[in-house]
Amino acid sequence: MQQKGFTALFTGDLEQYGEQQLIKRYGPLLANLTLLKAGHHGSKTSSSEAFVELLQPQLTVFSAGLHNRYGHPHEEVVQRFVSRHLVTWTTGVNGSIEVRIRDNRWSVNINEKSLVQ
């Protein structure tokens, strides 16, 4: 998705093979994203080193419940972003995350009241 200077990629259940295909097909067009909705809830099979290195998103959102039975997002995956000083938020920790785009500006609102304990 792109609106003026804002770019976002919503990857659904995309895993490493799909990421490789995106890199192969779109390469530099994916670089320096504004927003990434991380693939497969942050499982070990998503957000490969090469993918994160290319995208360098300003904000990454992991859609995963708190203390979910799969352990998503996986700590190893989160560290791929953190080690590059990239901001990550997780819905199970931060609550619902709303991104608003107006003209060439964007903002994020978090609703912690939406957390299910």
Side-chain angles (χ1 to χ4, degrees):
M1 176 186 131
Q2 182 174 358
Q3 181 174 330
K4 298 187 181 181
F6 180 91
T7 55
L9 181 62
F10 301 92
T11 56
D13 280 342
L14 190 69
E15 294 182 334
Q16 289 180 12
Y17 177 77
E19 293 172 357
Q20 291 168 353
Q21 296 304 306
L22 282 177
I23 291 170
K24 191 175 182 180
R25 183 165 184 167
Y26 299 105
L29 295 174
L30 299 172
N32 303 308
L33 280 179
T34 309
L35 172 68
L36 171 66
K37 202 299 274 166
H40 211 256
H41 313 283
S43 75
K44 278 183 161 181
T45 60
S46 66
S47 300
S48 65
E49 290 282 353
F51 196 64
V52 175
E53 183 62 31
L54 174 64
L55 273 56
Q56 297 281 318
Q58 292 178 40
L59 172 61
T60 298
V61 174
F62 294 103
S63 178
L66 186 64
H67 306 302
N68 65 79
R69 64 181 170 184
Y70 302 104
H72 294 153
H74 193 275
E75 185 60 31
E76 181 180 314
V77 173
V78 174
Q79 283 304 312
R80 290 179 191 148
F81 294 89
V82 171
S83 69
R84 291 170 172 86
H85 307 287
L86 301 169
V87 177
T88 65
W89 287 341
T90 303
T91 56
V93 174
N94 302 106
S96 63
I97 300 166
E98 177 185 345
V99 178
R100 292 182 180 201
I101 308 160
R102 298 213 192 273
D103 299 319
N104 205 24
R105 299 176 60 172
W106 63 285
S107 63
V108 180
N109 293 319
I110 295 175
N111 182 0
E112 293 179 1
K113 291 178 184 176
S114 67
L115 285 172
V116 176
Q117 301 289 324

